[in-house]
Amino acid sequence: MRLAGAFAAKAFARRAATPYHIVRSMVIAPPERLRIAPPDIRTADPTVADEIYAGYFSFAGKTMQSHGGSPFRLTAPSPAWRRALAGFSWLRHLRAADKALAQANARALVEDFLSLKKLGPDDPAMEPAVVARRMLSFFSQSPALLDGAEADFYDAFMVSLAQGARVLWRALATGQAQGGDRLFCAIALAEFAVCADTGRKIAPQVSRTLSLELDRQILPDGGHVSRNPQVAVDLLLDLLPLRQVLAARGLQTPAALMRAMDRMMPTLRMMQHGDGSLGLFNGMGATELDRVANVLANEDTRGAPPLKAPYFGYHRLSGRDALVLVDAGPPPPLEFSRCAHAGCLSFEFSIGVERIVVNCGAPAPPHDDLRDVARATAAHSTLIVDDRSSARIGPKDAGWAAGLVTEGPRHVEAERRDAPEAMGLTLSHDGYARDYGLIHARELTLSTDGDTLSGVDRLLAAEGGGRAGPEPDFAVRFHLHPRVRAAPLGETLALALATGETVLFAAEGAVPEIEDSIFFAGPAGARKCAQIVLRGKAAPGAELRWTFKRV
């Protein structure tokens, strides 16, 4: 997928806009009343209400104190902090405190925000995704905010909902909202159409837009087109309340919404390890286990997790209490690639609740400066040639292409081999074909008893491509979870798990080395960990065999 220059920028803009049938302007009147309030199924912490009452606002790894003033007039320590503050998702903590003081504090803070003069277009608080989050938060917390409210606050609150709806309408019509934000904006508009008494006018077009975005972004196997497992969690946390208010009002739920949710739930479970964490692929960071649990608690039917999601680009191998999650897909479409990683054919391996081999994962917002490092192939448990990633990611100064995956594997193949004694995958990608004339082929086999995971990594000659000169080096990396301790044991490595179990790693064709690594996706932030590295010369025919065997 190679794009360049002005042509690529225009092509991206056309694809990202996708205005469908939406007219650029629509008169959306402030509601006179709200017919229903959707639930907020995110976990709330009443102790946060005490912190907010004391003037401490902690978002995106940064804490600011308002010292009795308005938090909205503080100089934000980061755009992410400003987005979280202006999104008002934290209102749920004040409501959970279930105290008159917390309710009054919530109303005062909302009133403070509504009293601000017109915010500039460059303010993160006015980004479509932030406006959508604010609207959803206001709707869900409206019973507490409006109960006993004075007329001036009531009117200002309703005006803000209409203004937000108009912002989202324009963002969808003009293409300002791009990628996953388009679906998020459509969800917020759909809630306005259902909850506000003036929403009937836009309801048909909003329903159609929501359905079109769901069909465009939710793949036939239930994965999101971005290939990021976290996106499904975030979407379901908002789609589930929308489905509930539609049912409560006796309105017809769009068929596309039902189809999407029915597909998304099993695929989300497919991406879980035994400890509940989601696989660290394509922008996934630390798993918020409570959010995943809240989502999956609403699954109507619950069978065994699927073993493959070919459109999503992932496979699952399982044997007793052991499982392997494998990235077997190309980069997502350009519009949805801003968080994608260059981790093609990487895998994660766990036994029970212990994760053993992992990818480094995406860092939390306080460590955004490490995001480019985390997206590189070297931060994944796969093969890398000449220390160069298998996909190209636009640098920060690349204008329209900044952060986008502009080039990567075009052909990724995956063939399953499920037999009574083992599950296996035969995989390959051509991410190194153009520059080095090489195809990376990988075989993974997990025994049915879960005791042995074996693999073969090969480099094959690609048709065309390549470059003259000395043969570069290649490395096969296996990043270990921070709870795993690795030590040499003769010609093998002994991996001590926190449960007391030991897994032995052995290799043919290279001497395994233990090196330092960083696990970005820890709940408390980045942590030091180890990695196993196998090295060789990158030439057609190169082959390494390796095994993880439970003692």
Side-chain angles (χ1 to χ4, degrees):
M1 179 171 55
R2 300 186 64 198
L3 297 172
F7 173 78
K10 292 178 180 178
F12 171 65
R14 286 196 301 270
R15 182 161 44 244
T18 320
Y20 300 129
H21 61 289
I22 300 180
V23 295
R24 286 179 177 265
S25 63
M26 170 66 72
V27 177
I28 301 177
E32 293 184 6
R33 65 187 181 95
L34 301 181
R35 298 180 182 276
I36 193 171
D40 190 338
I41 62 174
R42 292 167 176 80
T43 302
D45 183 358
T47 62
V48 176
D50 297 331
E51 297 176 5
I52 292 176
Y53 184 74
Y56 290 95
F57 295 84
S58 301
F59 308 116
K62 304 286 185 181
T63 299
M64 297 285 286
Q65 187 177 14
S66 62
H67 297 287
S70 169
F72 305 103
R73 302 179 193 275
L74 295 173
T75 300
S78 70
W81 188 92
R82 176 69 172 175
R83 293 184 186 103
L85 176 69
F88 282 90
S89 184
W90 43 270
L91 283 175
R92 70 185 189 278
H93 302 303
L94 299 179
R95 188 179 184 184
D98 198 23
K99 298 178 183 177
L101 184 62
Q103 181 180 351
N105 191 23
R107 186 181 301 152
L109 288 166
V110 172
E111 187 174 20
D112 188 22
F113 178 81
L114 298 181
S115 68
L116 294 176
K117 294 182 180 179
K118 187 175 181 180
L119 300 175
D122 296 331
D123 191 324
M126 293 307 297
E127 294 174 1
V130 179
V131 175
R133 170 55 54 213
R134 186 160 60 244
M135 286 181 61
L136 293 172
S137 300
F138 281 0
F139 277 126
S140 63
Q141 305 308 322
S142 59
L145 291 171
L146 298 179
D147 182 25
E150 296 182 358
D152 288 347
F153 176 83
Y154 188 97
D155 292 342
F157 186 83
M158 296 301 182
V159 167
S160 74
L161 292 175
Q163 290 174 338
R166 288 193 289 268
V167 168
L168 300 186
W169 190 278
R170 287 194 300 270
L172 288 170
T174 63
Q176 181 187 2
Q178 301 174 359
D181 287 351
R182 293 189 62 80
L183 180 50
F184 187 37
C185 291
I187 294 171
L189 273 177
E191 277 206 4
F192 183 92
V194 175
C195 299
D197 61 358
T198 57
R200 292 190 302 266
K201 183 176 181 180
I202 66 171
Q205 293 187 68
V206 168
S207 178
R208 185 183 174 201
T209 299
L210 176 63
S211 296
L212 287 169
E213 286 295 340
L214 284 167
D215 287 341
R216 185 170 79 106
Q217 296 191 32
I218 306 304
L219 301 168
D221 52 23
H224 186 263
V225 67
S226 69
R227 307 197 61 234
N228 183 350
Q230 181 63 50
V231 175
V233 179
D234 295 338
L235 287 174
L236 285 166
L237 285 168
D238 294 317
L239 289 171
L240 283 162
L242 175 60
R243 185 179 69 176
Q244 291 182 36
V245 294
L246 284 166
R249 289 207 54 207
L251 301 175
Q252 184 176 3
T253 302
L257 175 58
M258 299 302 296
R259 290 195 305 268
M261 295 180 66
D262 288 345
R263 297 194 304 263
M264 292 168 74
M265 294 282 197
T267 303
L268 187 61
R269 287 192 291 109
M270 170 189 163
M271 300 302 295
Q272 280 188 296
H273 287 285
D275 66 350
S277 298
L278 298 173
L280 298 174
F281 302 99
N282 285 300
M284 184 69 208
T287 301
E288 296 180 86
L289 295 174
D290 58 329
R291 295 192 172 196
V292 176
N294 290 347
V295 165
L296 294 178
N298 289 272
E299 187 176 11
D300 296 329
T301 59
R302 190 179 182 89
L307 295 177
K308 59 182 179 180
Y311 295 94
F312 195 25
Y314 294 102
H315 283 260
R316 177 184 176 106
L317 306 178
S318 63
R320 202 172 59 180
D321 59 343
L323 68 88
V324 179
L325 300 176
V326 186
D327 181 346
L334 193 67
E335 179 187 353
F336 298 93
S337 67
R338 200 168 295 279
C339 292
H341 288 199
C344 193
L345 303 198
S346 63
F347 75 95
E348 296 195 329
F349 171 45
S350 60
I351 296 177
V353 298
E354 293 298 322
R355 286 183 284 170
I356 302 171
V357 178
V358 294
N359 293 319
C360 295
H367 303 289
D368 277 339
D369 56 321
L370 298 175
R371 191 166 293 276
D372 289 345
V373 176
R375 298 177 72 183
T377 299
H380 297 77
S381 294
T382 188
L383 180 146
I384 181 171
V385 175
D386 202 18
D387 205 27
R388 291 187 60 181
S389 291
S390 60
R392 305 288 181 266
I393 299 172
K396 295 178 181 178
D397 59 354
W400 67 270
L404 299 176
V405 179
T406 56
E407 183 180 343
R410 297 181 182 182
H411 303 289
V412 182
E413 297 184 0
E415 181 181 348
R416 291 189 68 94
R417 309 182 313 275
D418 294 340
E421 67 279 2
M423 286 186 177
L425 284 169
T426 301
L427 310 146
S428 66
H429 80 77
D430 63 350
Y432 293 112
R434 185 177 67 89
D435 292 337
Y436 299 98
L438 297 171
I439 299 291
H440 173 208
R442 164 168 270 185
E443 294 181 15
L444 299 171
T445 305
L446 179 66
S447 61
T448 303
D449 60 15
D451 286 346
T452 304
L453 169 63
S454 59
V456 182
D457 283 291
R458 298 185 180 93
L459 289 173
L460 310 176
E463 295 183 6
R467 64 180 183 184
E471 293 176 351
D473 295 329
F474 75 89
V476 180
R477 301 180 182 275
F478 307 88
H479 297 274
L480 303 177
H481 191 272
R483 288 165 58 93
V484 177
R485 297 290 177 263
L489 183 65
E491 296 181 354
T492 65
L493 299 179
L495 309 180
L497 310 187
T499 56
E501 284 190 280
T502 299
V503 174
L504 299 181
F505 177 84
E508 298 178 18
V511 177
E513 303 174 12
I514 302 174
E515 298 182 2
D516 290 337
S517 182
I518 301 177
F519 184 68
F520 294 113
R527 295 176 60 187
K528 181 179 178 181
C529 65
Q531 61 176 314
I532 302 170
V533 184
L534 306 176
R535 290 188 168 84
K537 286 294 182 180
E543 178 178 297
L544 294 177
R545 294 177 177 269
W546 46 266
T547 59
F548 290 88
K549 188 171 182 60
R550 180 158 43 178
V551 176

